[in-house]
Amino acid sequence: MSQIDQSDYESDYQPDNPNRGKQNVTKMIWSNSRRKDATNHLPNSAILDSKWTLALLQTETLLLGGQTVETEMFSSRSSFESYLRANKLAGLHVLKDAASNGAGGIWILSPSTSQKFLSPSTPLTNVTTTTPKYVLQKYSLPPMLVNSRKAHVRLYALLSIKNSRVIPYISKTAFLHLSNKEWTAGEEEDDEVHISNCCANSGNGERFAGEVCVDLEERSNDPNDYNFYQTYGLIRQTIRTTLLPFTTYTSPSSPPPSPQFSYLGIDVIISRTPSLTKIDVLEINAPPSLDTATGLKDAEMTHEKNVKGIVEEIVLGRRKTEEERVWHNLVPIPPEVTVEKENAPTTNTTSQRSESIMRMKYALLERRFAKTKTPPTPSLVQNWCRSQFQYYTSSTSPPSFFENAGGAQVPSPVTSSMLSSLSNRWRSNHGALQKSQAVTALQHLLGFSPSEFDVDLNVNSTMIFKDLARICVQELVEGDEIVVSTSNHCANYDCWIEEAEKKNIKVVKWDVLKNMPHHPHGWFPTNPPTPPTSTLLPPITPRTKILVIPHSSNVLGVLAPLPDILPPLLSISPKLRIITDGVAAAPHRYVGPLSSSTTHYVVSLHKLFGPHLGVCFTRKSHPRPTTSGTPNFEACSGCLGLLSYFLSLSSLTSSLDPSQTYSSILSRSLTVPQSRPLIQNAFHLIELSESLPSSLLLDKIRFKWPNVNLISHFDDDISFSQRLRLPLITFYHTSLPSSLISEMLKSENIVVRNGTFLSDEPLKCWCDNRRLGFEEFKRRGGAVRVSIAHYNTREEVERMCEVLEGIEGW
């Protein structure tokens, strides 16, 4: 970093300094900065400045809360023109030249005007490039209006390295940018009605509103004021989920020797209706302009405040009170990691190595996008999925089904396969083959290679856990220990306690929720270390021989980052057996990456859109659960239908032939590593479909319903990466009994469930943290659980929210 002289800094950044602007105030240049006078210093951070990258990463990472508009991406003008010829646009759309800045790279399209963009005489770029890229977005309706004019918000954010991790920050000071003319619905071509870009609008001095300074937390009694504080929570969530994917491509490969950051300007549109508020991210400028389009003192002061905060809080690391801070972190800051000086890389080495690695990662992302079809919207995926389920095709108005965590609906390929098995029984021939093929299908569906894992089938997962507990505990001796997570479903909890008591084996209860009602450190260990029962990492010692853990609790709804936390545990206890309950997680996430660390992984197929069957994957050389009696051949046949469904789902955005791939898997000419990208793609679409409905309900609970508590690891649950948030949403109303809520929804043809869901331990701890009596909690019906699957739509969730808000006392 260039040396910062404190006295120069103090004078240069004082707003009333008469020499301000005459001195060289750009003193935040790191040695790895490649742009002259740019406050942009993280490796490869230039990609943040591209609308193409924003759209690509938001599509790839399935952001919740942001970029909810339908988006199409075109890698050339010819591909965009082909799309226009093949599709009649419905309503207004916005076309963006991905590399342009300013309104010169934005065009408004409507059904009546779209054809003019097919003319070669219509310029569609204002930058010098041979292959411009384009992003087409559906117009955000209804737009935010200020004085009857369309407005967007210019937010300011940071990505900064803190304790070897990239942390996103936000400033609560922002600008409102207004269009020059009043907004009216319709298909107008007048850019001054639709475009709120400040630089573009400044050309019309009579109508230009300037940059309106706003405080996103300020409250006002003036009915004409927008009162951003009502949406600030959702704004923070949106910016956090928008920026987190960029950390993958800007994080240094080793700890930097000095502070590093990227300063960002983020434009968002807020759309608000009585039942829904959504925030659409328009673009990111990295870095943003450090001056204004107006030169007005208040606007310039906003820039000064943000830049001063960067230097003081990020570069110089000065401690500030919450009220004094300009920059507020959007995720928990991890504990400091000490790096020995002799091993610390030089600035140049860190920069060059990091930038090279990040560029390669991003190039692979671009290449994968180029090989796939245009990513479908959530509604298109859901429409296809619902067409595959008899639950939706056999009735014109089936109940809205949100009890998937208790047992999901089953697609037609599964029922057809099971019917075929029942229609043609031949135990010694067909039956044996169906079981063998079912094992193969399940290995590919969940990503456990047959060279590393054995597969056992049983009537349900409860029987598997009981058998594993009996067999594994038998091998323990005095002095050995078992660590059992209290977040487990009772099926993977009670049996271990019972078997340990028989042999007098010590059981250590790992209580993830203990003393943690307000996101202290995310999934990082507390610093300094706290007692084992209240830490977020399992209290493993060399004596620990068994760890019993859920991949996700069936009431907390957060995916444990097991690929990150399990490998270090094996270095403490190399012979540790890890028993993982994947029942709640497997319907929503591809679990294959866990095969590198877990010992046993158990699922229930009736919650994974399949037949009622328990499945256990056991690492070779470890004890396997015993099975007896004739296997359920028709259920085995249903596993083949489940594989067929997932392959057909994957083919929506890939070039695979589902029938050919299905045959290759069952003939074993296709290995599990080879099929992984195909199955992962299906789960990618499942996550895409689940994201918007679950985000809508989570936002309501977090920001709109003050009397509703989300039951999760933390109070508002947003300190987790959204990739770890499952659409399994459990809540508790402070005054209305859960049993009443469940019945009211049922009377409106909406299926949810209330109770404790055989997960008394985590719910009891949640109640204890809030000084809420567990017996009273159960007497009032426990919690309400809304478990969303990929066939549930946003409209279904919106209707459920309307019913809930109509309950007296809600």
Side-chain angles (χ1 to χ4, degrees):
M1 182 185 77
S2 299
Q3 294 297 314
I4 295 180
D5 183 85
Q6 184 63 32
S7 59
D8 284 348
Y9 165 75
E10 296 286 356
S11 63
D12 286 346
Y13 284 90
Q14 293 303 316
D16 298 325
N17 177 19
N19 294 320
R20 179 179 165 275
K22 299 178 182 179
Q23 305 179 44
N24 176 18
V25 299
T26 310
K27 297 189 175 182
M28 294 181 288
I29 306 301
W30 259 247
S31 60
N32 66 339
S33 177
R34 299 198 175 187
R35 300 187 193 182
K36 181 174 175 57
D37 296 342
T39 56
N40 192 68
H41 307 297
L42 293 180
N44 201 30
S45 54
I47 67 170
L48 277 67
D49 208 25
S50 164
K51 300 174 183 68
W52 176 266
T53 302
L54 177 65
L56 179 58
L57 287 183
Q58 288 180 323
T59 299
E60 173 71 16
T61 54
L62 313 172
L63 297 185
L64 305 184
Q67 197 61 39
T68 53
V69 290
E70 296 182 10
T71 301
E72 302 284 353
M73 299 174 64
F74 309 98
S75 56
S76 67
R77 176 163 180 163
S78 60
S79 62
F80 165 65
E81 291 176 348
S82 298
Y83 176 85
L84 274 190
R85 293 188 184 98
N87 297 270
K88 180 173 176 56
L89 296 182
L92 292 174
H93 285 70
V94 180
L95 178 68
K96 301 178 182 179
D97 179 2
S100 292
N101 285 317
I106 302 175
W107 300 270
I108 306 298
L109 280 69
S110 72
S112 61
T113 64
S114 61
Q115 292 304 304
K116 79 175 185 179
F117 292 92
L118 295 175
S119 170
S121 63
T122 303
L124 289 184
T125 185
N126 61 2
V127 296
T128 303
T129 176
T130 55
T131 56
K133 296 179 178 179
Y134 300 95
V135 176
L136 180 68
Q137 294 178 334
K138 196 164 186 179
Y139 198 101
S140 297
L141 292 173
M144 174 184 175
L145 299 181
V146 176
N147 294 331
S148 301
R149 297 195 227 172
K150 177 186 174 183
H152 78 260
V153 184
R154 161 55 67 94
L155 306 165
Y156 290 95
L158 278 176
L159 289 177
S160 179
I161 304 296
K162 187 69 174 178
N163 299 341
S164 301
R165 293 178 69 92
V166 180
I167 304 295
Y169 295 80
I170 190 173
S171 169
K172 66 177 183 177
T173 58
F175 291 124
L176 275 181
H177 289 179
L178 279 64
S179 63
N180 282 347
K181 297 181 180 179
E182 291 188 359
W183 186 87
T184 56
E187 299 175 355
E188 298 186 40
E189 298 182 54
D190 191 343
D191 285 350
E192 289 195 284
V193 171
H194 297 289
I195 291 179
S196 50
N197 182 281
C198 195
C199 294
N201 292 345
S202 60
N204 187 336
E206 294 183 359
R207 294 181 178 273
F208 180 49
E211 293 173 295
V212 182
C213 302
V214 294
D215 184 323
L216 299 177
E217 285 186 325
E218 189 174 5
R219 298 175 182 234
S220 172
N221 294 322
D222 187 340
N224 295 318
D225 286 346
Y226 186 79
N227 273 329
F228 278 97
Y229 78 91
Q230 297 175 342
T231 55
Y232 187 46
L234 185 55
I235 288 173
R236 287 170 59 92
Q237 178 199 359
T238 300
I239 299 307
R240 183 181 70 87
T241 54
T242 298
L243 293 181
L244 283 176
F246 285 104
T247 64
T248 302
Y249 303 98
T250 58
S251 177
S253 56
S254 53
S258 57
Q260 291 186 336
F261 66 89
S262 283
Y263 184 32
L264 313 173
I266 304 179
D267 294 331
V268 302
I269 282 282
I270 300 176
S271 297
R272 178 186 285 177
T273 66
S275 63
L276 174 67
T277 298
K278 67 186 182 78
I279 299 178
D280 297 327
V281 179
L282 303 180
E283 65 178 73
I284 297 177
N285 295 124
S289 172
L290 292 180
D291 56 10
T292 68
T294 60
L296 295 174
K297 182 178 179 180
D298 287 346
E300 294 288 335
M301 286 283 290
T302 295
H303 282 294
E304 301 285 0
K305 181 179 180 181
N306 284 338
V307 173
K308 183 178 179 180
I310 293 175
V311 176
E312 290 196 342
E313 300 168 25
I314 305 300
V315 178
L316 300 179
R318 292 177 176 170
R319 293 184 179 275
K320 302 278 187 177
T321 65
E322 189 68 22
E323 292 74 20
E324 295 172 330
R325 288 169 60 194
V326 174
W327 296 101
H328 301 269
N329 53 298
L330 297 175
V331 299
I333 296 177
E336 187 172 357
V337 178
T338 304
V339 180
E340 297 182 9
K341 292 184 178 180
E342 57 268 26
N343 294 328
T346 65
T347 303
N348 288 337
T349 302
T350 300
S351 171
Q352 293 169 1
R353 184 193 322 147
S354 296
E355 186 143 2
S356 176
I357 292 173
M358 298 309 116
R359 284 184 183 278
M360 286 192 293
K361 283 185 177 181
Y362 185 70
L364 289 173
L365 177 64
E366 284 272 19
R367 193 177 307 165
R368 185 164 69 249
F369 174 81
K371 290 181 178 179
T372 63
K373 300 177 184 177
T374 302
T377 62
S379 59
L380 290 177
V381 176
Q382 287 170 338
N383 288 339
W384 180 87
C385 292
R386 288 166 77 94
S387 72
Q388 303 298 303
F389 287 78
Q390 292 181 357
Y391 181 80
Y392 295 104
T393 59
S394 60
S395 173
T396 56
S397 57
S400 296
F401 188 78
F402 296 115
E403 197 1 42
N404 299 286
Q409 300 300 331
V410 178
S412 297
V414 174
T415 55
S416 297
S417 294
M418 296 180 71
L419 179 60
S420 175
S421 174
L422 288 167
S423 302
N424 187 11
R425 276 184 169 162
W426 188 358
R427 170 175 174 166
S428 60
N429 191 352
H430 295 169
L433 177 62
Q434 287 166 353
K435 181 182 178 182
S436 173
Q437 290 182 330
V439 167
T440 300
L442 293 169
Q443 288 167 332
H444 285 263
L445 272 176
L446 287 102
F448 290 85
S449 175
S451 62
E452 300 177 64
F453 285 84
D454 294 311
V455 182
D456 292 285
L457 310 177
N458 210 321
V459 292
N460 54 44
S461 58
T462 301
M463 296 299 294
I464 292 174
F465 287 129
K466 285 184 177 180
D467 212 43
L468 284 175
R470 178 181 57 81
I471 295 171
C472 293
V473 174
Q474 278 182 352
E475 298 183 357
L476 302 186
V477 298
E478 186 177 352
D480 290 341
E481 295 179 356
I482 303 174
V483 172
V484 181
S485 169
T486 57
S487 297
N488 274 296
H489 184 281
C490 70
N492 197 29
Y493 183 84
D494 295 343
C495 56
W496 296 97
I497 306 296
E498 294 169 2
E499 293 296 334
E501 288 178 351
K502 293 178 184 178
K503 289 204 65 176
N504 198 28
I505 298 295
K506 180 180 178 181
V507 174
V508 178
K509 295 182 180 180
W510 171 37
D511 204 336
V512 180
L513 297 180
K514 187 72 172 179
N515 300 325
M516 292 169 36
H518 306 287
H519 33 223
H521 294 284
W523 279 93
F524 300 102
T526 52
N527 187 22
T530 53
T533 56
S534 60
T535 184
L536 278 170
L537 293 180
I540 300 298
T541 72
R543 296 189 300 274
T544 308
K545 296 299 183 289
I546 297 174
L547 169 64
V548 184
I549 182 173
H551 197 174
S552 172
S553 161
N554 73 331
V555 291
L556 302 179
V558 174
L559 200 69
L562 299 185
D564 297 325
I565 67 177
L566 291 185
L569 305 182
L570 295 172
S571 64
I572 300 173
S573 179
K575 295 185 178 180
L576 180 68
R577 284 189 182 132
I578 301 168
I579 318 295
T580 308
D581 178 357
V583 173
H588 309 287
R589 298 291 189 272
Y590 179 66
V591 300
L594 266 187
S595 62
S596 62
S597 51
T598 191
T599 311
H600 298 82
Y601 195 90
V602 180
V603 299
S604 288
L605 292 188
H606 72 286
K607 299 180 182 182
L608 184 56
F609 320 108
H612 205 113
L613 196 67
V615 185
C616 179
F617 297 90
T618 302
R619 186 174 293 279
K620 301 283 188 181
S621 77
H622 286 271
R624 299 167 59 180
T626 58
T627 56
S628 59
T630 303
N632 188 327
F633 293 137
E634 52 268 26
C636 291
S637 185
C639 298
L640 306 184
L642 191 59
L643 173 64
S644 176
Y645 171 73
F646 270 80
L647 292 176
S648 296
L649 174 58
S650 181
S651 70
L652 293 180
T653 55
S654 65
S655 57
L656 75 85
D657 180 334
S659 299
Q660 179 60 46
T661 306
Y662 176 83
S663 299
S664 299
I665 287 176
L666 295 188
S667 66
R668 297 178 182 166
S669 60
L670 196 69
T671 65
V672 169
Q674 290 171 328
S675 70
R676 255 183 196 144
L678 308 177
I679 304 300
Q680 279 180 311
N681 188 55
F683 276 99
H684 180 97
L685 295 178
I686 284 176
E687 192 177 351
L688 172 68
S689 299
E690 294 170 343
S691 62
L692 294 184
S694 60
S695 177
L696 172 62
L697 180 58
L698 285 168
D699 291 345
K700 288 279 190 181
I701 295 173
R702 290 165 176 159
F703 309 120
K704 300 294 184 183
W705 296 338
N707 296 326
V708 179
N709 292 321
L710 180 67
I711 297 180
S712 190
H713 291 73
F714 303 124
D715 280 350
D716 62 8
D717 197 44
I718 61 174
S719 60
F720 289 105
S721 162
Q722 290 289 15
R723 299 304 297 271
L724 298 179
R725 216 318 158 185
L726 297 181
L728 196 160
I729 302 166
T730 312
F731 62 86
Y732 180 77
H733 198 283
T734 56
S735 58
L736 296 175
S738 296
S739 53
L740 170 65
I741 296 170
S742 180
E743 286 300 316
M744 290 292 288
L745 289 173
K746 184 178 178 181
S747 68
E748 294 292 331
N749 222 25
I750 300 171
V751 180
V752 301
R753 185 174 161 199
N754 70 282
T756 58
F757 315 102
L758 296 175
S759 291
D760 284 20
E761 292 295 328
L763 289 175
K764 182 178 185 302
C765 191
W766 185 85
C767 290
D768 290 345
N769 283 337
R770 286 150 188 80
R771 298 183 179 180
L772 175 66
F774 185 57
E775 292 304 317
E776 171 67 9
F777 173 83
K778 289 195 295 183
R779 188 186 66 79
R780 299 179 73 243
V784 177
R785 185 176 70 183
V786 179
S787 47
I788 295 170
H790 61 285
Y791 42 64
N792 291 125
T793 66
R794 178 176 184 157
E795 290 74 21
E796 287 180 313
V797 174
E798 287 177 341
R799 179 172 175 270
M800 176 178 64
C801 292
E802 290 174 0
V803 172
L804 290 174
E805 290 169 346
I807 299 176
E808 185 177 355
W810 187 260

